[in-house]
Amino acid sequence: MNTFDSVPRVVITGLGAICCLGTGVGAYWGGLLAGGGEPEAIPLPHLNMRTKKMYLVDRAQVPAEPSCHAGVELGSSPRLAVAAAEQALTDAKVEDGARVTVPVVLGVELGNSDMQELQRSAGRTTWTTLTPAAAVVGAAIGSRAAQTSVGNACSASGYALTIGLDMIRAGEASTVLVGGAEGATRAGMGAFNRLGAADPVRCRPFDRNRAGTMFGDGSAMIVLEAADHARRRGVEPYAELAGAAWSCDAHHATAPDPSGDQIVRAMSDALADAKLSSADVGCVIPHGTGTPLNDVVESQALHRVFGSRMPELPLFSLKAMIGHTTGAAGAFACLTATLMLRHRQSPANTPVDQDPECDVWLPQERPVPLAAPAVLVNTYAFGGNNTSLVVKGIGMGIGKDVSGEASRWSQ
């Protein structure tokens, strides 16, 4: 039951990140400004495939604990999730005593599969759950609230964010921890290699020579909170999660619908949910995986939504810097949009030899100031699962510093 007088605004009050750019939000933003990470060979045996690289978290920064939960041995994904969750809750100043009522909603795809692979390599054949991360994070933070894993492939954490948004709007929670986490596994790489959708060089969205995607591991966590609740706690928000929408084209098991109709629908409905127009968007973080068809279809769909604005609307190709983090991709993109609004700029893109069929603007020489108050995030997945999110700034350059120092609240 909604106990608020009206549908509450939902703000972002805490962030946490671990990926190839380092540990912590400061390292993450600095890494984006510096041009992103570089792929490297995966330190796993039996890589009998063409593409053997990923954008990897420094193995020394992968936490060793928790190693087990409820009798289940844990791989890197749930351990990364716990570390990023602690960062986000600490950033949001959610004290230990208040965490008991905080629901956890995580997007996962391959989940605990690296532990499965280790067990199989050791000759152990007992079943190990793939999706323990939400339960592990809930236990680690002391939550007794709902713990939900969303597993619809690469849009999983985008869907998780919309679930968290709906929970707060419906009055089911005042604070929700949302995010995603993925580890390094042979399973996902093998599948994309067999599909012919794995680039052996790097992740090159919108590049004329792109040959598929390249994975990255890591975790991104976001604390969503009802704006009035944050105000009462005296916590300054980074930004507002102002709108979200889902769609599904169900065109093909792995390929997007060439028409792009449901992609357009998701973007348009998300803007309508945020009560904004396309003119209010200062940057788009596209799904942009580097697969030949996805990049063309998304480019065409963006033209249908933004029309004559496309030549002046910057896109930030996030996966070119941290790889495709699959189930965590939506959370990383939302976190990145939040930081863009905090700093009022979009970092320069990784250099690209742009495909003329992908007629979008990818600024590469220097960061670009945001000329409008919102960032649109797209995240798509196999089966035609589409999610779009709208992250809106709070004042011009007003919000919490990534160092954790508050400035002031502005409506």
Side-chain angles (χ1 to χ4, degrees):
M1 178 179 179
N2 192 338
T3 58
F4 297 94
D5 293 334
S6 61
V7 176
R9 292 169 53 234
V10 178
V11 295
I12 294 167
T13 56
L15 302 172
I18 303 175
C19 70
C20 64
L21 304 180
T23 297
V25 172
Y28 180 78
W29 180 250
L32 296 181
L33 293 176
E38 292 292 333
E40 56 184 287
I42 300 179
L44 292 173
H46 313 302
L47 289 171
N48 301 316
M49 57 190 77
R50 176 168 175 256
T51 297
K52 304 178 182 180
K53 291 183 177 181
M54 279 183 65
Y55 293 76
L56 286 167
V57 174
D58 184 335
R59 296 299 95 179
Q61 295 186 32
V62 177
E65 298 293 337
S67 60
C68 185
H69 173 75
V72 175
E73 292 180 274
L74 302 177
S76 59
S77 172
R79 287 185 267 129
L80 290 165
V82 168
E86 182 59 39
Q87 289 179 34
L89 290 167
T90 299
D91 187 33
K93 297 181 174 60
V94 180
E95 303 294 340
D96 289 349
R99 297 180 182 186
V100 67
T101 61
V102 176
V104 178
V105 187
L106 299 189
V108 293
E109 183 173 5
L110 296 170
N112 206 36
S113 57
D114 57 343
M115 178 52 66
Q116 283 192 340
E117 292 168 10
L118 288 171
Q119 291 171 340
R120 298 301 187 274
S121 296
R124 295 160 57 193
T125 59
T126 55
W127 179 82
T128 299
T129 177
L130 271 177
T131 56
V136 173
V137 169
I141 70 171
S143 172
R144 304 292 294 178
Q147 296 153 18
T148 305
S149 290
V150 184
N152 52 336
C154 299
S155 62
S157 57
Y159 271 71
L161 281 156
T162 67
I163 291 171
L165 177 68
D166 286 347
M167 291 175 74
I168 294 174
R169 285 176 170 178
E172 296 175 7
S174 57
T175 305
V176 183
L177 176 65
V178 185
E182 297 290 358
T185 77
R186 297 190 298 262
M189 290 186 64
F192 271 68
N193 269 271
R194 289 296 296 271
L195 286 168
D199 196 312
V201 178
R202 61 181 302 120
C203 196
R204 298 180 281 180
F206 308 106
D207 192 292
R208 69 173 72 238
N209 298 309
R210 67 193 184 279
T213 199
M214 183 177 284
F215 292 150
D217 66 346
S219 179
M221 294 288 173
I222 295 167
V223 176
L224 299 180
E225 190 167 352
D228 286 348
H229 186 264
R231 185 194 296 274
R232 288 194 297 271
R233 292 200 306 122
V235 175
E236 306 271 349
Y238 285 103
E240 177 183 355
L241 183 55
W246 302 348
S247 70
C248 184
D249 55 60
H251 168 75
H252 187 271
T254 59
D257 179 1
S259 76
D261 288 345
Q262 292 302 317
I263 291 174
V264 170
R265 177 187 171 194
M267 288 189 278
S268 300
D269 287 358
L271 287 168
D273 185 44
K275 297 180 174 57
L276 298 175
S277 73
S278 60
D280 296 311
V281 175
C283 182
V284 174
I285 301 178
H287 185 56
T289 58
T291 55
L293 185 56
N294 175 86
D295 292 357
V296 172
V297 171
E298 187 171 14
S299 298
Q300 294 169 346
L302 285 165
H303 274 269
R304 290 171 60 184
V305 173
F306 292 98
S308 62
R309 288 199 63 214
M310 284 304 295
E312 63 187 31
L313 179 65
L315 268 63
F316 181 61
S317 183
L318 176 60
K319 292 178 180 66
M321 295 201 175
I322 65 170
H324 189 352
T325 52
T326 58
F332 270 109
C334 185
L335 183 147
T336 304
T338 302
L339 293 174
M340 285 180 178
L341 290 162
R342 164 65 187 90
H343 293 281
R344 289 288 162 188
Q345 63 176 347
S346 171
N349 281 280
T350 299
V352 61
D353 181 9
Q354 192 161 339
D355 183 348
E357 284 196 85
C358 301
D359 185 18
V360 295
W361 182 34
L362 297 162
Q364 298 164 50
E365 294 184 358
R366 62 185 65 86
V368 175
L370 294 186
V375 175
L376 178 72
V377 169
N378 290 331
T379 178
Y380 310 140
F382 284 173
N385 294 296
N386 311 307
T387 311
S388 291
L389 305 159
V390 178
V391 186
K392 180 182 175 184
I394 297 176
M396 293 299 293
I398 297 172
K400 186 165 57 178
D401 194 324
V402 293
S403 67
E405 295 180 0
S407 53
R408 66 181 177 90
W409 184 285
S410 174
Q411 287 291 341

